[in-house]
Amino acid sequence: KTILLSHIFACIWYIISQIHDDRNNWLVYFELQDESVLRKYLFSMYYSFSTLFTVGFGDIHSVNDLERIITILLMLFGVFFY
């Protein structure tokens, strides 16, 4: 369950960067837009795990309001999940 849940949230985190402003999202901010899909997925999974199951490290974080909303929901989900 944990891996599947993290995968789903990682996919959501990545999709948000694709459908929102192309110049103002976490991929551009961290200069990952030209990286491979696998590397983007790894960063997304890392973000998902660190946000869902810890307090988050802050090295990968939201950059725009939509990402902040998703982050808040992800944190709340993590609190209620445990």
Coordinates of all heavy atoms in Angstrom, one line a residue:
K1 N 0.8 -1.2 0.0 CA 0.0 0.0 0.0 C 0.9 1.3 0.0 O 0.5 2.2 -0.7 CB -0.9 0.0 1.2 CG -2.1 -0.9 1.2 CD -2.9 -0.6 2.4 CE -4.0 -1.6 2.5 NZ -4.8 -1.4 3.7
T2 N 1.9 1.3 0.8 CA 2.7 2.5 1.0 C 3.4 2.8 -0.3 O 3.4 4.0 -0.7 CB 3.7 2.2 2.1 OG1 3.1 1.9 3.3 CG2 4.6 3.5 2.3
I3 N 3.9 1.8 -1.0 CA 4.6 2.1 -2.3 C 3.7 2.6 -3.3 O 3.9 3.5 -4.1 CB 5.4 0.8 -2.8 CG1 6.4 0.4 -1.7 CG2 6.0 1.1 -4.1 CD1 7.6 1.3 -1.5
L4 N 2.5 1.9 -3.4 CA 1.5 2.3 -4.4 C 1.0 3.7 -4.1 O 0.9 4.6 -5.1 CB 0.3 1.3 -4.4 CG -0.8 1.7 -5.3 CD1 -0.3 1.7 -6.8 CD2 -2.0 0.7 -5.1
L5 N 0.8 4.1 -2.9 CA 0.3 5.4 -2.5 C 1.4 6.4 -2.9 O 1.1 7.5 -3.4 CB 0.0 5.4 -1.0 CG -0.6 6.7 -0.5 CD1 -1.9 7.0 -1.1 CD2 -0.7 6.6 1.0
S6 N 2.6 6.1 -2.6 CA 3.7 7.0 -2.9 C 3.8 7.2 -4.4 O 4.1 8.3 -4.9 CB 5.0 6.5 -2.4 OG 5.0 6.5 -1.0
H7 N 3.7 6.1 -5.2 CA 3.7 6.2 -6.6 C 2.6 7.1 -7.2 O 2.9 7.9 -8.0 CB 3.6 4.8 -7.2 CG 3.3 4.8 -8.7 ND1 4.3 5.0 -9.6 CD2 2.2 4.5 -9.3 CE1 3.7 5.0 -10.8 NE2 2.5 4.7 -10.7
I8 N 1.4 6.9 -6.7 CA 0.3 7.8 -7.1 C 0.5 9.2 -6.8 O 0.4 10.1 -7.7 CB -1.0 7.3 -6.5 CG1 -1.4 5.9 -7.0 CG2 -2.2 8.3 -6.7 CD1 -2.5 5.2 -6.3
F9 N 1.0 9.6 -5.6 CA 1.3 10.9 -5.3 C 2.5 11.5 -6.1 O 2.5 12.7 -6.5 CB 1.5 11.1 -3.8 CG 0.2 11.2 -3.1 CD1 -0.1 10.3 -2.1 CD2 -0.7 12.2 -3.4 CE1 -1.3 10.3 -1.4 CE2 -1.9 12.2 -2.7 CZ -2.2 11.3 -1.7
A10 N 3.4 10.6 -6.4 CA 4.6 11.1 -7.2 C 4.1 11.4 -8.6 O 4.5 12.4 -9.2 CB 5.7 10.0 -7.2
C11 N 3.2 10.6 -9.2 CA 2.7 10.8 -10.5 C 1.9 12.1 -10.5 O 2.0 12.9 -11.5 CB 1.8 9.7 -11.0 SG 2.8 8.2 -11.3
I12 N 1.1 12.4 -9.5 CA 0.3 13.6 -9.4 C 1.3 14.8 -9.3 O 1.1 15.8 -10.0 CB -0.6 13.6 -8.2 CG1 -1.8 12.6 -8.4 CG2 -1.2 15.0 -7.9 CD1 -2.6 12.3 -7.1
W13 N 2.3 14.7 -8.5 CA 3.3 15.8 -8.4 C 3.9 16.1 -9.7 O 4.1 17.2 -10.1 CB 4.3 15.4 -7.3 CG 5.4 16.4 -7.0 CD1 6.7 16.3 -7.3 CD2 5.2 17.7 -6.4 NE1 7.4 17.4 -6.9 CE2 6.5 18.3 -6.4 CE3 4.1 18.3 -5.9 CZ2 6.6 19.5 -5.8 CZ3 4.3 19.6 -5.4 CH2 5.5 20.2 -5.3
Y14 N 4.3 15.1 -10.5 CA 4.9 15.3 -11.8 C 3.9 15.9 -12.8 O 4.2 16.8 -13.5 CB 5.4 14.0 -12.3 CG 6.0 14.1 -13.7 CD1 7.2 14.8 -14.0 CD2 5.3 13.6 -14.8 CE1 7.7 14.9 -15.2 CE2 5.7 13.8 -16.1 CZ 6.9 14.4 -16.3 OH 7.4 14.6 -17.6
I15 N 2.6 15.3 -12.8 CA 1.6 15.8 -13.7 C 1.3 17.3 -13.5 O 1.1 18.1 -14.4 CB 0.3 15.0 -13.6 CG1 0.6 13.6 -14.2 CG2 -0.8 15.6 -14.3 CD1 -0.4 12.6 -13.9
I16 N 1.3 17.7 -12.2 CA 1.0 19.1 -11.9 C 2.0 20.0 -12.6 O 1.7 21.1 -13.1 CB 1.1 19.3 -10.3 CG1 -0.1 18.6 -9.7 CG2 1.1 20.8 -10.0 CD1 -1.5 19.1 -10.0
S17 N 3.3 19.6 -12.6 CA 4.3 20.4 -13.2 C 4.1 20.5 -14.8 O 4.6 21.4 -15.4 CB 5.7 19.8 -12.9 OG 5.9 18.6 -13.6
Q18 N 3.5 19.5 -15.3 CA 3.2 19.5 -16.8 C 2.0 20.3 -17.2 O 2.0 20.8 -18.3 CB 3.1 18.0 -17.3 CG 4.3 17.2 -17.0 CD 5.6 17.8 -17.6 OE1 5.6 17.9 -18.8 NE2 6.5 18.1 -16.8
I19 N 1.0 20.4 -16.3 CA -0.2 21.1 -16.7 C -0.3 22.5 -16.2 O -1.1 23.3 -16.7 CB -1.5 20.3 -16.2 CG1 -1.5 20.3 -14.7 CG2 -1.5 19.0 -16.8 CD1 -2.8 19.7 -14.1
H20 N 0.6 22.9 -15.4 CA 0.7 24.3 -14.8 C 1.7 25.1 -15.6 O 2.4 24.6 -16.4 CB 0.9 24.2 -13.3 CG 0.6 25.5 -12.6 ND1 1.5 26.5 -12.3 CD2 -0.6 26.0 -12.3 CE1 0.9 27.5 -11.7 NE2 -0.4 27.2 -11.7
D21 N 1.8 26.3 -15.2 CA 2.8 27.3 -15.8 C 4.1 26.6 -16.1 O 4.8 26.2 -15.1 CB 2.9 28.5 -14.9 CG 3.7 29.6 -15.5 OD1 4.2 29.4 -16.7 OD2 4.0 30.6 -14.9
D22 N 4.6 26.6 -17.3 CA 5.8 25.9 -17.7 C 7.1 26.6 -17.2 O 8.1 26.0 -17.1 CB 5.9 25.8 -19.2 CG 5.0 24.8 -19.8 OD1 4.5 23.9 -19.0 OD2 4.7 24.9 -21.0
R23 N 7.0 27.9 -16.8 CA 8.2 28.6 -16.3 C 8.2 28.7 -14.8 O 9.3 29.1 -14.3 CB 8.2 30.0 -16.9 CG 8.2 30.1 -18.4 CD 8.0 31.5 -18.9 NE 7.0 32.1 -18.1 CZ 5.8 32.5 -18.5 NH1 5.5 32.3 -19.7 NH2 5.0 33.1 -17.7
N24 N 7.2 28.3 -14.1 CA 7.1 28.5 -12.7 C 6.6 27.2 -12.0 O 5.5 27.1 -11.5 CB 6.2 29.7 -12.3 CG 6.2 30.0 -10.9 OD1 7.2 29.7 -10.2 ND2 5.1 30.5 -10.3
N25 N 7.4 26.2 -12.0 CA 7.1 25.0 -11.4 C 8.4 24.3 -10.8 O 9.5 24.8 -11.1 CB 6.3 24.0 -12.3 CG 7.1 23.6 -13.5 OD1 8.3 23.1 -13.4 ND2 6.5 23.7 -14.7
W26 N 8.2 23.3 -10.0 CA 9.4 22.7 -9.4 C 10.4 22.1 -10.3 O 11.6 22.2 -10.0 CB 8.9 21.6 -8.4 CG 8.3 20.4 -8.9 CD1 7.0 20.2 -9.3 CD2 9.0 19.2 -9.2 NE1 6.9 18.9 -9.8 CE2 8.1 18.3 -9.8 CE3 10.4 18.8 -9.1 CZ2 8.4 17.0 -10.2 CZ3 10.7 17.5 -9.5 CH2 9.8 16.6 -10.0
L27 N 10.0 21.6 -11.5 CA 10.9 21.0 -12.4 C 11.9 22.1 -13.0 O 13.1 21.9 -13.1 CB 10.2 20.4 -13.6 CG 9.6 19.0 -13.4 CD1 8.9 18.5 -14.6 CD2 10.7 18.0 -13.0
V28 N 11.3 23.3 -13.3 CA 12.1 24.4 -13.8 C 13.0 25.0 -12.7 O 14.2 25.2 -12.9 CB 11.2 25.5 -14.5 CG1 12.0 26.7 -14.9 CG2 10.4 24.9 -15.7
Y29 N 12.4 25.1 -11.6 CA 13.1 25.7 -10.4 C 14.4 24.9 -10.1 O 15.4 25.5 -9.8 CB 12.2 25.8 -9.2 CG 12.8 26.5 -8.0 CD1 12.8 27.9 -7.9 CD2 13.4 25.7 -7.0 CE1 13.4 28.5 -6.8 CE2 13.9 26.3 -5.9 CZ 14.0 27.7 -5.8 OH 14.5 28.3 -4.7
F30 N 14.2 23.6 -10.1 CA 15.4 22.8 -9.8 C 16.1 22.3 -11.0 O 17.0 21.4 -11.0 CB 14.9 21.5 -9.0 CG 14.4 21.9 -7.6 CD1 13.0 21.9 -7.4 CD2 15.2 22.4 -6.6 CE1 12.5 22.3 -6.1 CE2 14.8 22.7 -5.4 CZ 13.4 22.7 -5.1
E31 N 15.8 22.9 -12.2 CA 16.5 22.7 -13.4 C 16.5 21.2 -13.8 O 17.5 20.6 -14.3 CB 17.9 23.2 -13.4 CG 18.0 24.7 -13.1 CD 19.4 25.3 -13.0 OE1 20.3 24.5 -13.0 OE2 19.5 26.5 -12.9
L32 N 15.3 20.6 -13.7 CA 15.2 19.2 -14.1 C 14.4 19.0 -15.3 O 14.1 17.8 -15.7 CB 14.5 18.4 -12.9 CG 15.2 18.4 -11.6 CD1 14.3 17.9 -10.5 CD2 16.5 17.6 -11.7
Q33 N 13.9 20.0 -16.0 CA 13.0 19.9 -17.1 C 13.7 19.1 -18.3 O 13.0 18.5 -19.1 CB 12.5 21.3 -17.6 CG 13.5 22.2 -18.2 CD 14.2 23.0 -17.2 OE1 14.3 22.7 -16.0 NE2 14.8 24.1 -17.7
D34 N 15.0 19.1 -18.4 CA 15.6 18.4 -19.5 C 16.2 17.1 -19.1 O 16.8 16.4 -19.9 CB 16.8 19.3 -20.1 CG 16.3 20.6 -20.7 OD1 15.2 20.5 -21.3 OD2 17.0 21.6 -20.6
E35 N 15.9 16.6 -17.9 CA 16.4 15.3 -17.4 C 15.5 14.2 -18.0 O 14.4 14.5 -18.5 CB 16.3 15.3 -15.9 CG 17.3 16.2 -15.2 CD 18.7 15.8 -15.4 OE1 19.0 14.6 -15.6 OE2 19.6 16.7 -15.3
S36 N 15.9 13.0 -17.8 CA 15.1 11.8 -18.3 C 13.9 11.7 -17.5 O 13.8 12.2 -16.3 CB 16.0 10.6 -18.2 OG 16.2 10.2 -16.9
V37 N 12.9 11.0 -18.0 CA 11.7 10.7 -17.3 C 11.9 9.9 -16.0 O 11.3 10.2 -15.0 CB 10.7 9.9 -18.2 CG1 9.4 9.5 -17.4 CG2 10.3 10.8 -19.4
L38 N 12.9 9.0 -16.1 CA 13.2 8.2 -14.9 C 13.8 9.1 -13.8 O 13.4 9.0 -12.6 CB 14.3 7.1 -15.3 CG 14.8 6.3 -14.1 CD1 13.7 5.6 -13.4 CD2 15.9 5.4 -14.5
R39 N 14.6 10.0 -14.1 CA 15.2 10.9 -13.1 C 14.1 11.8 -12.5 O 14.0 12.1 -11.3 CB 16.3 11.8 -13.7 CG 17.0 12.6 -12.7 CD 18.4 12.9 -13.2 NE 19.0 14.0 -12.4 CZ 19.7 13.7 -11.3 NH1 19.8 12.5 -10.8 NH2 20.2 14.7 -10.6
K40 N 13.2 12.3 -13.4 CA 12.0 13.1 -12.9 C 11.2 12.3 -11.9 O 10.7 12.7 -10.9 CB 11.2 13.6 -14.0 CG 11.9 14.7 -14.9 CD 11.1 15.0 -16.1 CE 11.8 15.9 -17.0 NZ 11.1 16.2 -18.3
Y41 N 10.9 11.0 -12.3 CA 10.2 10.1 -11.5 C 10.8 9.9 -10.1 O 10.2 9.9 -9.1 CB 9.9 8.8 -12.2 CG 9.2 7.8 -11.4 CD1 7.8 7.9 -11.1 CD2 9.8 6.7 -10.8 CE1 7.1 7.0 -10.4 CE2 9.1 5.8 -10.0 CZ 7.8 5.9 -9.8 OH 7.1 5.0 -9.0
L42 N 12.2 9.7 -10.1 CA 12.9 9.5 -8.9 C 12.8 10.7 -8.0 O 12.6 10.6 -6.8 CB 14.4 9.2 -9.2 CG 14.7 7.8 -9.8 CD1 16.1 7.7 -10.2 CD2 14.2 6.7 -8.8
F43 N 12.9 11.9 -8.5 CA 12.7 13.1 -7.8 C 11.3 13.2 -7.2 O 11.0 13.6 -6.1 CB 13.1 14.4 -8.6 CG 14.5 14.7 -8.5 CD1 15.4 14.1 -9.4 CD2 15.0 15.6 -7.6 CE1 16.7 14.5 -9.4 CE2 16.3 16.0 -7.5 CZ 17.2 15.4 -8.4
S44 N 10.3 12.8 -8.1 CA 8.9 12.8 -7.6 C 8.6 11.8 -6.5 O 7.9 12.2 -5.5 CB 8.0 12.5 -8.8 OG 8.1 13.5 -9.8
M45 N 9.2 10.7 -6.6 CA 9.1 9.7 -5.6 C 9.7 10.1 -4.3 O 9.2 10.0 -3.2 CB 9.6 8.3 -6.0 CG 8.7 7.5 -6.9 SD 7.2 7.0 -6.0 CE 7.8 5.6 -5.1
Y46 N 10.9 10.7 -4.4 CA 11.6 11.2 -3.2 C 10.8 12.3 -2.5 O 10.6 12.3 -1.3 CB 13.0 11.8 -3.7 CG 13.7 12.6 -2.6 CD1 14.4 11.9 -1.6 CD2 13.7 14.0 -2.5 CE1 15.0 12.6 -0.6 CE2 14.3 14.6 -1.5 CZ 15.0 13.9 -0.6 OH 15.6 14.6 0.4
Y47 N 10.2 13.2 -3.3 CA 9.3 14.2 -2.8 C 8.1 13.6 -2.1 O 7.8 14.0 -0.9 CB 8.8 15.2 -3.9 CG 7.8 16.1 -3.4 CD1 8.1 17.2 -2.7 CD2 6.4 15.8 -3.6 CE1 7.1 18.1 -2.2 CE2 5.4 16.6 -3.2 CZ 5.7 17.8 -2.4 OH 4.7 18.6 -2.0
S48 N 7.5 12.6 -2.7 CA 6.3 12.0 -2.2 C 6.6 11.3 -0.8 O 5.9 11.4 0.1 CB 5.8 10.9 -3.2 OG 4.7 10.3 -2.7
F49 N 7.7 10.5 -0.8 CA 8.1 9.8 0.4 C 8.4 10.8 1.5 O 8.0 10.7 2.7 CB 9.3 8.9 0.2 CG 9.0 7.5 -0.3 CD1 9.4 7.1 -1.5 CD2 8.2 6.7 0.5 CE1 9.1 5.8 -1.9 CE2 7.9 5.4 0.1 CZ 8.4 5.0 -1.1
S50 N 9.2 11.8 1.2 CA 9.6 12.8 2.3 C 8.5 13.6 2.8 O 8.5 14.0 3.9 CB 10.8 13.7 1.8 OG 10.4 14.5 0.8
T51 N 7.5 13.9 1.9 CA 6.3 14.7 2.4 C 5.3 13.8 3.1 O 4.7 14.2 4.1 CB 5.7 15.4 1.2 OG1 6.7 16.2 0.5 CG2 4.6 16.3 1.6
L52 N 5.1 12.6 2.6 CA 4.0 11.7 3.2 C 4.5 11.2 4.5 O 3.7 11.1 5.4 CB 3.7 10.6 2.2 CG 2.5 10.7 1.3 CD1 2.4 9.5 0.5 CD2 1.3 10.9 2.1
F53 N 5.7 10.7 4.6 CA 6.1 9.9 5.8 C 7.1 10.6 6.7 O 7.5 10.0 7.7 CB 6.7 8.6 5.2 CG 5.7 7.9 4.3 CD1 6.0 7.7 3.0 CD2 4.5 7.4 4.8 CE1 5.1 7.1 2.2 CE2 3.6 6.8 4.0 CZ 3.9 6.6 2.7
T54 N 7.5 11.8 6.4 CA 8.4 12.5 7.3 C 7.9 14.0 7.3 O 6.9 14.3 6.7 CB 9.9 12.5 6.9 OG1 10.0 13.2 5.7 CG2 10.4 11.1 6.7
V55 N 8.7 14.8 7.9 CA 8.3 16.3 7.9 C 8.8 16.9 6.6 O 8.6 18.1 6.4 CB 9.0 17.0 9.1 CG1 8.3 16.5 10.4 CG2 10.5 16.9 9.2
G56 N 9.4 16.2 5.8 CA 10.0 16.8 4.5 C 11.3 17.4 4.8 O 11.5 18.0 5.8
F57 N 12.2 17.4 3.8 CA 13.5 17.9 4.0 C 13.6 19.3 3.4 O 14.5 20.0 3.7 CB 14.5 17.0 3.4 CG 14.6 15.7 4.0 CD1 14.2 14.5 3.4 CD2 15.1 15.5 5.3 CE1 14.2 13.3 4.0 CE2 15.1 14.3 5.9 CZ 14.7 13.2 5.3
G58 N 12.7 19.7 2.5 CA 12.7 21.0 1.9 C 13.6 21.2 0.7 O 13.6 22.2 0.1
D59 N 14.4 20.1 0.4 CA 15.3 20.3 -0.8 C 14.5 20.2 -2.1 O 14.8 20.9 -3.1 CB 16.4 19.3 -0.8 CG 16.0 17.9 -0.5 OD1 14.8 17.7 -0.1 OD2 16.8 16.9 -0.5
I60 N 13.4 19.5 -2.1 CA 12.4 19.5 -3.2 C 11.1 20.1 -2.6 O 10.6 19.5 -1.7 CB 12.2 18.1 -3.8 CG1 13.5 17.5 -4.4 CG2 11.1 18.2 -4.9 CD1 14.0 18.2 -5.6
H61 N 10.7 21.2 -3.2 CA 9.5 21.8 -2.6 C 8.6 22.5 -3.6 O 9.0 22.6 -4.8 CB 9.9 22.9 -1.5 CG 10.9 23.9 -2.1 ND1 10.4 25.0 -2.8 CD2 12.2 24.0 -2.0 CE1 11.5 25.7 -3.1 NE2 12.6 25.1 -2.7
S62 N 7.5 22.9 -3.2 CA 6.5 23.5 -4.1 C 7.0 24.9 -4.5 O 7.7 25.6 -3.7 CB 5.1 23.6 -3.5 OG 5.2 24.1 -2.3
V63 N 6.7 25.4 -5.7 CA 7.1 26.7 -6.2 C 6.0 27.6 -6.5 O 6.1 28.8 -6.3 CB 8.0 26.5 -7.4 CG1 8.4 27.8 -8.1 CG2 9.2 25.6 -7.1
N64 N 4.8 27.0 -6.9 CA 3.7 27.9 -7.2 C 2.5 27.5 -6.3 O 2.6 26.5 -5.5 CB 3.3 27.8 -8.7 CG 3.0 26.3 -9.1 OD1 2.2 25.7 -8.5 ND2 3.7 25.9 -10.2
D65 N 1.4 28.2 -6.4 CA 0.3 28.0 -5.5 C -0.4 26.7 -5.7 O -0.8 26.0 -4.7 CB -0.7 29.1 -5.7 CG -0.3 30.5 -5.2 OD1 0.7 30.5 -4.3 OD2 -0.8 31.5 -5.5
L66 N -0.5 26.2 -6.9 CA -1.1 24.9 -7.1 C -0.3 23.8 -6.5 O -0.8 22.9 -5.8 CB -1.3 24.6 -8.6 CG -1.9 23.3 -9.0 CD1 -3.3 23.1 -8.4 CD2 -1.9 23.1 -10.5
E67 N 1.0 23.9 -6.6 CA 1.9 22.9 -6.0 C 1.8 23.0 -4.5 O 1.9 22.0 -3.8 CB 3.4 23.1 -6.4 CG 3.6 22.8 -7.9 CD 5.0 23.1 -8.4 OE1 5.8 23.7 -7.6 OE2 5.3 22.8 -9.5
R68 N 1.7 24.2 -3.9 CA 1.5 24.4 -2.5 C 0.2 23.7 -2.0 O 0.2 23.1 -0.9 CB 1.5 25.8 -2.1 CG 2.9 26.4 -2.2 CD 3.0 27.9 -1.8 NE 4.2 28.4 -2.1 CZ 4.5 29.2 -3.2 NH1 3.5 29.4 -4.0 NH2 5.7 29.6 -3.4
I69 N -0.9 23.9 -2.8 CA -2.1 23.2 -2.4 C -2.0 21.7 -2.4 O -2.4 21.0 -1.4 CB -3.3 23.7 -3.4 CG1 -3.6 25.1 -3.1 CG2 -4.5 22.8 -3.2 CD1 -4.5 25.8 -4.2
I70 N -1.4 21.2 -3.4 CA -1.1 19.7 -3.5 C -0.3 19.3 -2.3 O -0.5 18.2 -1.7 CB -0.5 19.3 -4.8 CG1 -1.4 19.6 -6.0 CG2 -0.1 17.9 -4.9 CD1 -2.7 18.9 -5.9
T71 N 0.7 20.1 -2.0 CA 1.6 19.7 -0.8 C 0.8 19.7 0.5 O 1.0 18.8 1.3 CB 2.8 20.7 -0.8 OG1 3.5 20.6 -2.0 CG2 3.7 20.4 0.4
I72 N 0.0 20.7 0.7 CA -0.8 20.7 1.9 C -1.7 19.5 2.0 O -1.8 18.8 3.0 CB -1.7 22.0 1.9 CG1 -0.7 23.2 2.2 CG2 -2.7 21.9 3.0 CD1 -1.4 24.5 2.0
L73 N -2.4 19.1 0.9 CA -3.2 18.0 0.8 C -2.4 16.7 1.1 O -2.9 15.8 1.8 CB -4.0 17.9 -0.5 CG -5.0 19.0 -0.8 CD1 -5.5 18.9 -2.2 CD2 -6.1 19.0 0.2
L74 N -1.3 16.6 0.5 CA -0.4 15.5 0.7 C 0.0 15.3 2.2 O 0.0 14.2 2.7 CB 0.8 15.6 -0.2 CG 1.8 14.4 -0.3 CD1 1.1 13.2 -0.8 CD2 3.0 14.7 -1.2
M75 N 0.4 16.4 2.8 CA 0.7 16.4 4.2 C -0.5 16.0 5.1 O -0.3 15.2 6.0 CB 1.2 17.8 4.7 CG 2.6 18.1 4.2 SD 3.0 19.7 4.9 CE 4.1 20.4 3.7
L76 N -1.6 16.5 4.8 CA -2.8 16.1 5.5 C -3.2 14.7 5.4 O -3.5 14.0 6.3 CB -4.0 17.0 5.1 CG -4.0 18.5 5.6 CD1 -5.1 19.2 4.9 CD2 -4.1 18.5 7.1
F77 N -3.0 14.2 4.1 CA -3.3 12.8 3.9 C -2.3 11.9 4.7 O -2.6 10.9 5.2 CB -3.2 12.5 2.4 CG -3.6 11.1 2.0 CD1 -5.0 10.8 1.8 CD2 -2.7 10.1 1.9 CE1 -5.4 9.6 1.5 CE2 -3.1 8.8 1.6 CZ -4.5 8.5 1.4
G78 N -1.0 12.3 4.7 CA 0.0 11.6 5.5 C -0.3 11.5 7.0 O -0.2 10.5 7.6
V79 N -0.9 12.6 7.5 CA -1.2 12.7 8.9 C -2.4 11.7 9.2 O -2.4 11.0 10.1 CB -1.7 14.1 9.3 CG1 -2.3 14.1 10.7 CG2 -0.4 15.0 9.3
F80 N -3.4 11.7 8.3 CA -4.6 10.9 8.5 C -4.3 9.4 8.2 O -4.9 8.5 8.7 CB -5.8 11.4 7.7 CG -6.3 12.7 8.2 CD1 -6.3 13.8 7.4 CD2 -6.8 12.8 9.5 CE1 -6.7 15.0 7.9 CE2 -7.2 14.0 10.0 CZ -7.2 15.1 9.2
F81 N -3.3 9.2 7.3 CA -2.9 7.8 6.9 C -2.3 7.1 8.1 O -2.5 5.9 8.2 CB -1.9 7.9 5.7 CG -1.6 6.6 5.2 CD1 -2.5 5.8 4.4 CD2 -0.3 6.0 5.3 CE1 -2.2 4.6 3.8 CE2 0.0 4.8 4.8 CZ -1.0 4.1 4.0
Y82 N -1.6 7.8 8.9 CA -1.0 7.1 10.1 C -1.8 7.5 11.3 O -1.7 7.4 12.4 CB 0.4 7.5 10.2 CG 1.3 6.9 9.1 CD1 1.7 7.7 8.1 CD2 1.6 5.6 9.2 CE1 2.4 7.1 7.1 CE2 2.3 5.0 8.2 CZ 2.7 5.8 7.1 OH 3.4 5.2 6.1

